[in-house]
Amino acid sequence: MSKKVVIVGGVAGGATTAARLRRLDEKTEIVMIERGEYISFANCGLPYYIGGAIQERDALLVQTVEGMSRKFNMDIRNLSEVTRIDRERKVVEIKNLKTGETYEENYDVLVLSPGASPIKPPIPGINEAEALFTLRNIPDTDKIKAYVDEQQPKKATVIGGGFIGVEMAENLWERGVEVTLVEMADQIMAPIDFEMASILHQHLREKGVNLVLEDGVKTFEKNGKLINLNSGKQIDTDLVILAIGVAPENKLAKDTGLELGLRGAIRVNERLQTTDDSIYAIGDAIEVKDYINGQATHIPLAWPANRQGRIVADHINDIDSKYQGTLGTSIAKVFDMTVAATGNNEKTLKRLGISYDVVHVHPSSHAGYYPGAFPIALKLIFDRETGKIFGAQAVSYDGADKRIDVLATAIKGGMTIFDLPDLELAYAPPYSSAKDPVNMAGYAAKNIAEGLVETVQWHEINDILADGGYLIDVREPIERDMGMIEGSVNIPLGELRERLGEIPTKEVYVYCQVGLRGYLATRILMQAGFKVRNLDGGYKTYS
Amino acid sequence: MSKKVVIVGGVAGGATTAARLRRLDEKTEIVMIERGEYISFANCGLPYYIGGAIQERDALLVQTVEGMSRKFNMDIRNLSEVTRIDRERKVVEIKNLKTGETYEENYDVLVLSPGASPIKPPIPGINEAEALFTLRNIPDTDKIKAYVDEQQPKKATVIGGGFIGVEMAENLWERGVEVTLVEMADQIMAPIDFEMASILHQHLREKGVNLVLEDGVKTFEKNGKLINLNSGKQIDTDLVILAIGVAPENKLAKDTGLELGLRGAIRVNERLQTTDDSIYAIGDAIEVKDYINGQATHIPLAWPANRQGRIVADHINDIDSKYQGTLGTSIAKVFDMTVAATGNNEKTLKRLGISYDVVHVHPSSHAGYYPGAFPIALKLIFDRETGKIFGAQAVSYDGADKRIDVLATAIKGGMTIFDLPDLELAYAPPYSSAKDPVNMAGYAAKNIAEGLVETVQWHEINDILADGGYLIDVREPIERDMGMIEGSVNIPLGELRERLGEIPTKEVYVYCQVGLRGYLATRILMQAGFKVRNLDGGYKTYS
Ligand SMILES: Cc1cc2nc3c(=O)[nH]c(=O)nc-3n(C[C@H](O)[C@H](O)[C@H](O)COP(=O)(O)OP(=O)(O)OC[C@H]3O[C@@H](n4cnc5c(N)ncnc54)[C@H](O)[C@@H]3O)c2cc1C
Ligand SMILES: Cc1cc2nc3c(=O)[nH]c(=O)nc-3n(C[C@H](O)[C@H](O)[C@H](O)COP(=O)(O)OP(=O)(O)OC[C@H]3O[C@@H](n4cnc5c(N)ncnc54)[C@H](O)[C@@H]3O)c2cc1C
Ligand SMILES: CC(C)(COP(=O)(O)OP(=O)(O)OC[C@H]1O[C@@H](n2cnc3c(N)ncnc32)[C@H](O)[C@@H]1OP(=O)(O)O)[C@@H](O)C(=O)NCCC(=O)NCCS
Ligand SMILES: CC(C)(COP(=O)(O)OP(=O)(O)OC[C@H]1O[C@@H](n2cnc3c(N)ncnc32)[C@H](O)[C@@H]1OP(=O)(O)O)[C@@H](O)C(=O)NCCC(=O)NCCS
Ligand SMILES: [Ca+2]
Ligand SMILES: [Ca+2]
């Protein structure tokens, strides 16, 4: 007997489940219910349609109700909201939003992929704010785009420096709007750590974005045209985008008594079944296991939603397949730069009390002598005993995406830092170097693990100097003119061997521009009997 | 007691060994002997300096004799050739090419990284050819560049369609020279298979390169200004670049009785020791183990040379480290396109009698709705029983390098096709899709391994039709207008379920544009009781 599967939500997770269900079994009865007008649209493209990089609205509509129904022989009902689940009777209650009529539909299997909704906290004045928008779907997009097209706002304020906030800042800027970006934390882009985000802060400021960190909205005034921040600062604005995060759409699950987890996300097992094994849940609505540390987490991204949708369809058809947890690999374009990350960052590891080591390298995106190369700020976080890779972060004008994908693959392949030098990656001058940046990060990490070098981090150096530490700058004098650490002594690398006698103490710190010459100096000094630490990432990471 | 290490060859392998030796031990006596004037130059950049993309000659010189001597405290002797090895006495004989004087130098350890030299066969007329060049080093480059700058040749002929030949074709074209490229095989770029190379053939022809396949040079006439090909064809030319491959520089090794292997390459063990364990050999001069199939092979690329140099330095310092063999990951820019590959191709597997399966997919380099996306022709070769990945090939205007690096990493991580769907790669519209091309190739391969679809390859379909096979084109009629397989019957995917009755036989073949809709049709037909095969890669791979 063929099954009847009802799917709640017709976009990333839902539509993927439906498509795979049909490919596996022509006889399954598939009913996909979507509250909105559109199914299968490109959520991730929405900011770029507002900004103009994507010109055709139709390009956002990956599948239409008609097209998908026909291609996959399924019953797709848009403008229809599932309002209740009756687990006893295995029926859902559906409200037809065009007619207002409510009816029931029975299921053998129910798949929940309802997504998440933008968080809108009860800030005083928020309900009176006229040009305040959140962005989740096509109607949201239409509203924002119409406002920008028609009202030609001069100033916009984006609240929240996560992916969507930063993408909206860029896209409004592309439209010629003056943008203020307000973020509560001391950095934007939570998946990366502070010193990496600092590169982006500088880039945003260079582009003319008014970046306000460590501040939040206290009240909106004048119908949202005036924003009072916690700091007392005031911002005049024509338009507000609220992008401070999303909350799992858990109402249906909660009302029917399914177990919820972190931040109210629906709890599922490895097969993505909720506590009712006839009901699966996937996508932004669910709690997942962090692939690195095994803890519960909530990672609302498109890859997991797509992957989970396919796994559920497989499992419904008795093909065994487990979801391995989420690594949190993520990426964003930030004006001319790219930021990408995978695995855990320092903040997470600290919170969990996991000890780790870090290297920062700044290799060229491809051979430095071939045009178009840019340094990649590449950070690797690892365990020096086991070599386990906890995570990696990259910021660059070029080539960050590739290196993070390679490292995400290495992590999934169970590789350690000791394996990274052996990654045989594709090299020709336009693409990489004979030692790829990932090899280089591996070498640098391995040198720490094997005791060839000890490092000190960018945030430790000022205290060390204050305590009377002896810091040697091994760069050339001319490089110091462009920026140096106050209190450091200059002995260029090429003169170090001859000038060892000038060093008044046996305990020293060294630094150079990116860490490479500092490492060479460290090797010379160590072998000359000094206790020495190299500033990881050099002046570049420090500054 | 500290060791004395003598290194023969001061570029990729040699200079890397030397640098790492010094980092590991300040006391090692390091003597690096280089025949040429320059050490540590960017071999791989040479074509781009001739073409003009690299404008400064100095950019090619990564390290100078003086700079490197000072930085690493080593004895570097350029314009000095090692002419003989006396293994009994552990000395090398060195000829000073400036003075003509010959002297001896003793060693504890000898490292050979002499590279390879361009093959120059005894073709009649070759020695009289005036403007015939090979390209290996800076003097070669200077000569070619001077000829192009001063003689302003109108026509050039490149013999050999490997990396260097194709790069030279592009770079001469960039200089406004009309280029003919002559290749003996039926395809350029040996690391990939014919149907993948065909995309490049078309691209070269579109650019105006006169591509001559399956032909070779019989004789040169008129001081090299007239080339007679084996086919009888004649080519007038102002300039000839001979780039038909390289042969290991094995004379020293051979004369002193070290064991040689494939194509005369120096045989080494996993620690890169020759049959004399005081003598290591690395780089283009050595035979390596193919990482995929374990056979001896010769892969003259920069990554292996660099990696091996570091391993040797480690081993000399009693740090254990083995060379794992070479995967042969390679890449080249071919005008506006990129070709990249890793592991074994079909040609190699066939030669070795290894059975394999293949999938071709053509996913977008990033979200199709975001500007600048291009399809990637991505080929995966695998074992359907074990899931082992034998190799992968990619050709595209964008994103080929990233996917091959990810797959090379997956191979090194021991991952199979069954792991590829779980690679959590970085997704935002400018970089990828929610299912990355690598995930997609994994899905497609897994579907074959799990019996969800059977495929037929592009080279089999004409025979099948000739034998009366029934081939259904499931594309829309309008797509057929732009090219179709003669003899196929059109039933668009959307109508297939209703039109099953029209199909006169139970054994059918299907195709679409890239293989995706063909797969959907296959699923429908299989479940309706047909025996069906989908044309892998669709019309795109076929045509
Ligand atoms: C502006 C924006 C940019 C983004 N950019 C990226 C990016 O670059 N990279 C990335 O990885 N991710 C990105 N995302 C996140 C990504 O889109 C989501 O992770 C993904 O869509 C989640 O899939 P889902 O199926 O869980 O939810 P959704 O795709 O949101 O689908 C859920 C659907 O369920 C419907 N629904 C909810 N409740 C009901 C109900 N009771 N009855 C009927 N229907 C219901 C909703 O209307 C909604 O259409 C972005 C998201 C947004 C909004
Ligand atoms: C034009 C060109 C483009 C290339 N592009 C790429 C690319 O894009 N990607 C890639 O991976 N690889 C590329 N390569 C290949 C790459 O450069 C080589 O694989 C690499 O340089 C090999 O390193 P090696 O140390 O073995 O040899 P080499 O780097 O060639 O160094 C060998 C040196 O040894 C010296 N020598 C030889 N015999 C003696 C002796 N008896 N005494 C003293 N000195 C001696 C030679 O003069 C030579 O300088 C390219 C090569 C060329 C020529
Ligand atoms: C488009 C959508 C309906 C999914 O449909 P889908 O059919 O699963 O996905 P695709 O169209 O990419 O096709 C993938 C299938 O084609 C197969 N395939 C792809 N190329 C192929 C080829 N050349 N040959 C054979 N099979 C191929 C894959 O194996 C896979 O099939 P499988 O799952 O049975 O293994 C759904 O992803 C969606 O709605 N997306 C838009 C919303 C969204 O994802 N938002 C977030 C990101 S913006
Ligand atoms: C340049 C050349 C001399 C090699 O020198 P090298 O010192 O081994 O290589 P690099 O300068 O890239 O430095 C790599 C070292 O710096 C370390 N390093 C790099 N960045 C670092 C950082 N930010 N912090 C700390 N260490 C760093 C690496 O760990 C590595 O050291 P290790 O081998 O001891 O682990 C040699 O590769 C060469 O001659 N190249 C040109 C020729 C060539 O390769 N041709 C073919 C390609 S065109
Ligand atoms: Ca690049
Ligand atoms: Ca791209």
Side-chain angles (χ1 to χ4, degrees), chain A residues 263 283-284 286-291 297-302 304-305 308 326-329, chain B residues 424:
Chain A
R263 290 177 224 161
D284 287 2
I286 69 167
E287 179 187 87
V288 293
K289 194 181 71 179
D290 182 300
Y291 186 82
T297 185
H298 178 234
I299 300 181
L301 290 173
Q308 292 160 6
T326 302
L327 200 48
T329 310
Chain B
E424 191 184 326

Side-chain angles (χ1 to χ4, degrees), chain A residues 365-366 372 398-399 402-403 430-432, chain B residues 401:
Chain A
S365 57
H366 59 245
D398 181 45
K402 179 160 76 174
R403 276 55 184 219
Y431 306 98
S432 183
Chain B
D401 58 332

